[in-house]
Amino acid sequence: MKKLLKILKYTLLGFMSLVIVLAVITFFYMRQPQFGKTPSGERLTRVERSPHYKDGHFVNKVEKPIITEGYSVIGESYKTIFAKNPRVAPKDSLPSVQTDLKHLPPDSNVLVWFGHSSVFIQVAGKRILIDPIFSGNASPIPGSLKAYKGSNTYHAADMPEIDYLLISHDHYDHLDYETVVALQQKVKHVICGLGVGADFEYWGYKPSQIIEQDWDKDVNVAPGFVIHTVSSQHDSGRGFVRAKSLWMSYLVIAPNMKIYISGDGGHDDRFKQLGKQYGPIDWAILECGQYNKAWQSVHQLPEEVMQSALEMHARNLLPIHHSKFTLAQHDWDEPLIKISELSKNQPYRLATPLIGEVVQLNSTKQTFTQWWKGIK
């Protein structure tokens, strides 16, 4: 009995020592710059004044459980680890087009998608870059969430000068440390949610570059040109800290052009409100990928993407948040297959460009291929 107790004692001591070592390693690892900073000082005071900040964190306009009833975090974690779908990522290299963004005609209204949620827009003489992630990794742990083969063909060096860098929220697959640091000298202004500016200032951006906003605010770009901040049904956070900064979507109201960028977020009544107040929307850029019924409250399913486009009276729909990283267990091409089927005979036009393909925003005749067909 004494021998058994001695073995148990040393086993427990060994386990506790391992836990302490791992805790120390985690503590120091998370002090690396990619984990960003939480708001403090005057920035925190402004955050705390927001009507959407309650009990120490931001909240959605309508609070919903992140995990859908009937599902569990443990169950979904088990599926992710042990029940992997062999088609969550393509085996083949994805096709792309390498566009010279620095020499686009300055008077052209165009859009270029880089995979996942990264989009470049040139409209009314202004250059806008949204949620760029060019490092090839969507996680603070190197190599853990790597970009698909062929999907990471653009880098910060390929970008022209950017008038406005729009960040929807501070998750790693939307706010990429390596990319925004490399872009700093090219960016005139960053527009982001309250609190997100703490990351940018920590990473070397000047306070004069950063425009932090709450929901339902206007950033005046030029006469007749406004970027309007819109709510989203989502979350934020880097590391173990949640909802200390604000997530959002954007409505770009340029002369003769309205473009909505959803960022991440589940379906709610904001789409109907946008349709009533601003519709028709010329281009609806909506997340359509990395979804699961288990977390439907914070990511739209393809059926909801279609519904959102209809509610906004969208003339064109560009589905994003797919074809670069695996963050869910559906087939990698399922979002494209489903939204293509759902969009048949709808009043909007579906745009499915290749990565890097120039989309002519004013054209009603440009056609797009179903480029994902035949890719293993």
Side-chain angles (χ1 to χ4, degrees):
M1 187 65 180
K2 289 183 178 180
K3 186 176 181 180
L4 178 60
L5 288 173
K6 191 174 182 180
I7 292 171
L8 288 173
K9 177 184 176 181
Y10 283 111
T11 301
L12 182 60
L13 285 172
F15 177 75
M16 290 177 64
S17 299
L18 179 61
V19 169
I20 292 169
V21 169
L22 288 174
V24 170
I25 291 171
T26 300
F27 173 79
F28 284 103
Y29 184 76
M30 291 186 66
R31 294 174 69 86
Q32 294 184 92
Q34 64 262 38
F35 290 96
K37 288 283 186 182
T38 54
S40 60
E42 292 182 8
R43 176 173 280 111
L44 178 59
T45 300
R46 188 180 175 203
V47 161
E48 292 173 336
R49 286 200 298 262
S50 170
H52 309 112
Y53 192 83
K54 299 176 182 178
D55 300 322
H57 63 277
F58 282 103
V59 296
N60 287 300
K61 288 189 174 181
V62 178
E63 281 297 273
K64 301 176 184 178
I66 290 180
I67 297 297
T68 307
E69 186 177 352
Y71 296 86
S72 69
V73 174
I74 294 174
E76 293 309 305
S77 299
Y78 179 88
K79 290 177 187 176
T80 300
I81 297 170
F82 298 107
K84 289 190 176 181
N85 175 0
R87 293 202 73 249
V88 292
K91 295 179 181 178
D92 297 338
S93 180
L94 298 187
S96 65
V97 175
Q98 205 67 23
T99 296
D100 184 355
L101 300 170
K102 297 177 182 178
H103 294 94
L104 291 168
D107 59 346
S108 60
N109 293 334
V110 298
L111 175 155
V112 177
W113 170 66
F114 305 115
H116 203 60
S117 295
S118 304
V119 179
F120 171 85
I121 297 172
Q122 180 176 285
V123 62
K126 299 296 181 182
R127 291 166 167 169
I128 300 170
L129 184 60
I130 303 148
D131 289 356
I133 175 164
F134 302 141
S135 68
N137 199 53
S139 165
I141 302 172
S144 59
L145 273 176
K146 294 177 67 175
Y148 301 156
K149 289 184 291 185
S151 69
N152 200 50
T153 59
Y154 284 85
H155 304 283
D158 300 314
M159 298 299 112
E161 286 194 356
I162 301 298
D163 294 295
Y164 290 91
L165 172 62
L166 271 54
I167 299 297
S168 64
H169 61 297
D170 71 348
H171 284 162
Y172 300 104
D173 61 319
H174 293 263
L175 177 52
D176 182 39
Y177 163 71
E178 289 185 26
T179 300
V180 298
V181 167
L183 285 170
Q184 193 267 333
Q185 295 296 324
K186 295 185 175 186
V187 172
K188 294 180 183 178
H189 303 284
V190 177
I191 303 179
C192 58
L194 291 174
V196 180
D199 290 333
F200 279 92
E201 202 165 332
Y202 177 46
W203 295 337
Y205 279 66
K206 300 173 184 176
S208 58
Q209 288 179 279
I210 304 166
I211 303 171
E212 287 176 83
Q213 293 290 359
D214 207 330
W215 294 330
D216 304 316
K217 302 296 181 182
D218 287 339
V219 177
N220 294 310
V221 173
F225 197 141
V226 172
I227 297 177
H228 183 66
T229 63
V230 185
S231 67
S232 180
Q233 185 75 30
H234 201 56
D235 187 24
S236 71
R238 302 174 85 81
F240 300 120
V241 179
R242 314 306 304 170
K244 295 292 185 181
S245 61
L246 189 59
W247 49 97
M248 63 174 60
S249 57
Y250 296 95
L251 179 64
V252 176
I253 307 174
N256 304 312
M257 182 73 63
K258 295 172 188 172
I259 305 169
Y260 175 71
I261 303 115
S262 74
D264 284 358
H267 188 82
D268 62 13
D269 65 358
R270 73 185 181 277
F271 300 103
K272 283 185 179 178
Q273 292 175 1
L274 286 165
K276 287 178 181 178
Q277 187 172 356
Y278 299 103
I281 304 298
D282 296 290
W283 283 87
I285 303 174
L286 304 181
E287 67 145 348
C288 182
Q290 315 319 314
Y291 50 77
N292 189 320
K293 286 186 178 180
W295 58 78
Q296 186 176 351
S297 67
V298 291
H299 286 285
Q300 293 195 98
L301 304 178
E303 298 89 337
E304 294 172 311
V305 175
M306 174 196 70
Q307 183 182 349
S308 299
L310 293 173
E311 289 174 349
M312 286 190 292
H313 310 294
R315 292 189 170 113
N316 301 277
L317 167 62
L318 175 71
I320 59 171
H321 209 242
H322 59 81
S323 302
K324 192 161 188 174
F325 303 106
T326 295
L327 302 171
Q329 287 300 301
H330 57 65
D331 289 0
W332 75 270
D333 53 358
E334 180 184 290
L336 289 162
I337 293 169
K338 284 196 170 184
I339 197 62
S340 295
E341 186 62 31
L342 290 164
S343 297
K344 289 180 180 177
N345 302 316
Q346 298 293 355
Y348 61 80
R349 180 182 60 153
L350 180 68
T352 55
L354 290 157
I355 290 172
E357 180 180 357
V358 174
V359 176
Q360 302 292 338
L361 293 175
N362 294 112
S363 173
T364 58
K365 297 181 179 179
Q366 185 177 4
T367 58
F368 303 93
T369 63
Q370 292 189 332
W371 56 263
W372 57 92
K373 287 190 171 181
I375 295 177
K376 297 178 182 178

